[in-house]
Amino acid sequence: MNAFQAILVLIVAFIAGCGSVLDEAQFHRPLVACTLIGLVLGHLSTGLVLGSSLELIALGWMNVGAAMAPDAALASVISAVMVINSGLSVKEGIAIAIPLAVAGQVLTILVRTITAFFEHQADKFAENDNPRGIEFLQLTGLVLQGLRIAIPTALVLLVSPKVVQQGLEAVPKVITNGLAVAGGFIVVVGYAMVINMMATRYLMPFFFLGFLLAAVSQLNLIALGLMGLCIAIVYIQLAPKYHNGGHGGSDKAGKTEDLDDELEKELDDF
Amino acid sequence: MVEIKNNMAGAITKKDLNAAFRRSCITQAAWNYERMHGLGFCYEMIPAIKRIYPAGPERAAALKRHNEFMNSNPYMEAPILGVTIAMEEKRAQGAPIDDAAIDGVKVGMMGPLAGVGDPIFWGTLRPVLAAFGASLAATKSIMGPIIFFVAWNVIRLGFRYWGVHFGYQQGTNIVNNLKGNLLQKLTEGASILGLFIMGVLVPRWTTMKFPMVVSRVTTNGKTTVTTLNDIFNELLPGLMPLLLTFLVMWLLKRKVNAIWIIFGLFIVGILGYGIGLFGI
């Protein structure tokens, strides 16, 4: 492999890293990423065969809801480089792809925690009416995700495959699995922010209703969404404050809101 | 005042919607554990916000307003984006739409639309196209990846483009047809739907597993193993995610920085997995 090819491999790695977080054009899928690595290294058919096998393994790797899939980008790019460059068999390449997908997931967890800081910087840019700054942060986030794959790929190009295998084994399971476990419930931070933002105390029963229906039933999200819609419509139809026909209906609503404000104040003091 | 405002507020053009469409293709670039697509959604809104508000405090407030939590299927976010742009435009032209209405509509749509988009795009379309592409690639045919890549992206881009424009049209229709206290009703209804959906997402989109064995009873040679999971589920499924959500809400109200909460939860995850409390 010459220097020109090495640069092309790193470009493919960078694009696959961006693709992995975006989940748009699918450059991170094994079928595309392994093929591209095969193409730039002059072993197209090897790339196709490896990509085909890995793609079938990764068919179920998808970001559904707030869950995060194993990282197909790192798995595809590095296993393809190792199969073509370091003489691993396709079977060995597939075997090493799985721990690579886990390692890629740990790296993306790291980047996605760093970008949480970006949100706070973006708040400051927003306050200063600086859209340019927000655009810069968004694109920087993407670059970090690209480097997340390109840098490990560069390391693999420099060292022997044995070192890579040893490096993967050196990461303790308690860290990788622990991070994955935390990834499963860390999403509540976002929910908590939205609930704090939207909740007025007299509307909280609707939150609990949604929770209970989702927790005890098997209804899917679409059905639950439509139920929520019906409940909202029924509430609006029945709420006394919208009936101006007038026996102090709106007064009553005003009082409820006052009470609500007081309650909130007290709770805040507490 | 409203009249003057009307003249200052620019009307959204087709060009702005196309810019929103282009930007929506990198919505997840700065995906983060605090607000997920929050920064991305704000980024998508920038062309519209720039058109609607002149530089100044109003524009700053609009930027801030859209840099909040957002998560849906990324493609389904296109119609949400269109509706949100329409609401911002009408608001700037004097329609009495408040922050709660815009937030409520966004949050109310993101969960159910993800429920539509995830099974269609991730659960069906991609596996079908990918398996077909992979079967061709296994015979060393370059057509495998090409068919997968082209078919997927034509469908994705087509849907995204249609979604932004369709969402904008629908949003405009809805706001234009509102009269009297209908807007107030819309605001309150949107908040109700939004809160209901957050209630749904807490047990559905959170994963907490407690495989720790509490008791092991052997009767007649049959062993019944009871884990912590079983006990919690018997109490109420989803109770633990709910309690965790309340804890985080309380911490946030105490002005604890969300980033420290995220780090704290990572440590809890690693330690909890280490002692066998949590499982994958």
Side-chain angles (χ1 to χ4, degrees):
Chain A
M1 182 177 52
N2 55 39
F4 179 64
Q5 281 177 317
I7 290 168
L8 286 178
V9 166
L10 293 182
I11 290 173
V12 172
F14 185 89
I15 294 172
C18 295
S20 174
V21 69
L22 293 177
D23 221 342
E24 294 279 342
Q26 309 300 317
F27 280 112
H28 64 300
R29 295 301 295 185
L31 191 54
V32 181
C34 292
T35 304
L36 287 175
I37 294 287
L39 191 69
V40 299
L41 289 181
H43 288 74
L44 181 60
S45 57
T46 312
L48 282 167
V49 171
L50 179 67
S52 160
S53 311
L54 278 182
E55 184 65 46
L56 291 174
I57 292 172
L59 273 187
W61 294 0
M62 46 183 120
N63 304 309
V64 170
M68 211 193 319
D71 184 53
L74 196 71
S76 314
V77 171
I78 291 188
S79 64
V81 167
M82 286 175 71
V83 167
I84 292 166
N85 229 22
S86 319
L88 257 61
S89 71
V90 169
K91 261 194 184 152
E92 284 170 314
I94 292 168
I96 203 174
I98 308 299
L100 281 168
V102 175
Q105 203 178 12
V106 171
L107 289 176
T108 196
I109 287 173
L110 189 74
V111 175
R112 288 169 192 225
T113 308
I114 294 170
T115 45
F117 287 96
F118 286 21
E119 287 284 3
H120 293 258
Q121 187 54 46
D123 276 341
K124 279 184 201 130
F125 283 142
E127 270 158 29
N128 298 330
D129 188 22
N130 178 3
R132 269 275 164 82
I134 293 169
E135 289 164 353
F136 172 76
L137 289 173
Q138 171 83 350
L139 297 175
T140 308
L142 193 58
V143 169
L144 287 183
Q145 288 284 1
L147 292 176
R148 169 182 73 90
I149 304 298
I151 291 172
T153 308
L155 292 176
V156 168
L157 291 179
L158 294 173
V159 298
S160 74
K162 267 226 169 108
V163 179
V164 178
Q165 257 156 338
Q166 281 165 351
L168 283 174
E169 281 157 16
V171 183
K173 262 224 144 63
V174 68
I175 300 285
T176 53
N177 287 349
L179 285 174
V181 163
F185 58 72
I186 239 158
V187 293
V188 303
V189 178
Y191 307 154
M193 294 182 86
V194 178
I195 298 165
N196 274 347
M197 183 173 78
M198 300 203 358
T200 21
R201 223 148 273 274
Y202 77 103
L203 290 180
M204 278 311 272
F206 295 105
F207 170 79
F208 288 106
L209 199 58
F211 170 79
L212 288 171
L213 280 171
V216 302
S217 79
Q218 300 295 317
L219 294 169
N220 67 19
L221 276 179
I222 305 163
L224 287 164
L226 291 174
M227 281 176 81
L229 192 62
C230 292
I231 291 168
I233 291 170
V234 170
Y235 175 86
I236 298 299
Q237 282 170 350
L238 296 180
K241 64 177 152 182
Y242 297 123
H243 296 284
N244 291 334
H247 309 288
S250 53
D251 250 345
K252 217 177 181 179
K255 260 180 210 159
T256 326
E257 254 158 49
D258 284 351
L259 255 176
D260 190 69
D261 286 349
E262 264 170 42
L263 224 136
E264 214 154 71
K265 247 182 229 161
E266 266 168 40
L267 276 161
D268 283 349
D269 291 344
F270 164 79
Chain B
M1 268 320 276
V2 176
E3 285 303 306
I4 295 167
K5 233 175 161 184
N6 250 333
N7 295 334
M8 282 169 70
I12 294 291
T13 63
K14 204 171 173 206
K15 220 177 105 198
D16 301 328
L17 292 179
N18 288 338
F21 155 71
R22 280 195 301 277
R23 283 177 180 229
S24 80
C25 292
I26 62 161
T27 179
Q28 300 199 82
W31 198 110
N32 62 83
Y33 277 109
E34 192 180 310
R35 299 181 210 168
M36 300 192 180
H37 311 176
L39 184 53
F41 196 85
C42 184
Y43 172 78
E44 293 163 17
M45 285 295 293
I46 285 176
I49 289 176
K50 273 184 170 169
R51 172 76 64 200
I52 296 166
Y53 299 105
E58 275 196 357
R59 194 171 83 174
L63 289 172
K64 189 107 197 325
R65 181 155 71 234
H66 291 292
N67 188 32
E68 286 293 350
F69 179 86
M70 182 72 198
N71 187 39
S72 188
N73 175 283
Y75 310 150
M76 287 293 170
E77 234 168 81
I80 302 179
L81 179 65
V83 170
T84 312
I85 289 173
M87 290 180 81
E88 274 294 345
E89 183 189 25
K90 301 301 161 202
R91 171 200 174 103
Q93 289 169 352
I97 303 173
D98 63 4
D99 294 4
I102 295 178
D103 288 338
V105 168
K106 263 165 74 178
V107 176
M109 286 198 289
M110 70 186 191
L113 285 187
V116 178
D118 285 345
I120 291 178
F121 285 106
W122 304 147
T124 312
L125 191 59
R126 189 170 70 185
V128 168
L129 287 175
F132 178 68
S135 68
L136 288 180
T139 65
K140 300 186 178 174
S141 161
I142 184 77
M143 286 317 286
I146 289 177
I147 289 174
F148 166 70
F149 186 78
V150 172
W152 175 268
N153 281 296
V154 166
I155 295 170
R156 168 183 75 94
L157 291 170
F159 180 81
R160 264 201 182 293
Y161 182 84
W162 172 83
V164 171
H165 288 264
F166 176 77
Y168 176 74
Q169 273 309 322
Q170 292 306 311
T172 309
N173 289 345
I174 294 168
V175 178
N176 278 346
N177 294 329
L178 292 176
K179 290 179 199 96
N181 61 5
L182 260 174
L183 261 173
Q184 200 193 343
K185 289 182 180 176
L186 174 77
T187 305
E188 195 161 31
S191 304
I192 290 171
L193 180 59
L195 276 173
F196 182 91
I197 291 300
M198 289 321 295
V200 168
L201 296 187
V202 166
R204 287 292 169 89
W205 278 3
T206 312
T207 316
M208 281 178 112
K209 287 183 187 147
F210 304 90
M212 194 179 254
V213 175
V214 183
S215 73
R216 206 185 287 268
V217 185
T218 311
T219 40
N220 303 334
K222 260 191 184 173
T223 312
T224 316
V225 181
T226 308
T227 63
L228 213 51
N229 237 2
D230 300 330
I231 295 175
F232 289 145
N233 278 340
E234 242 163 71
L235 275 173
L236 182 61
L239 182 62
M240 286 312 178
L242 182 69
L243 291 179
L244 185 64
T245 308
F246 284 150
L247 175 70
V248 175
M249 281 166 65
W250 180 77
L251 287 171
L252 288 170
K253 274 192 179 153
R254 289 263 156 136
K255 307 275 173 231
V256 178
N257 191 321
I259 287 171
W260 293 119
I261 300 175
I262 289 168
F263 276 122
L265 288 178
F266 272 130
I267 291 166
V268 168
I270 291 168
L271 292 180
Y273 180 80
I275 62 167
L277 178 64
F278 298 128
I280 290 186

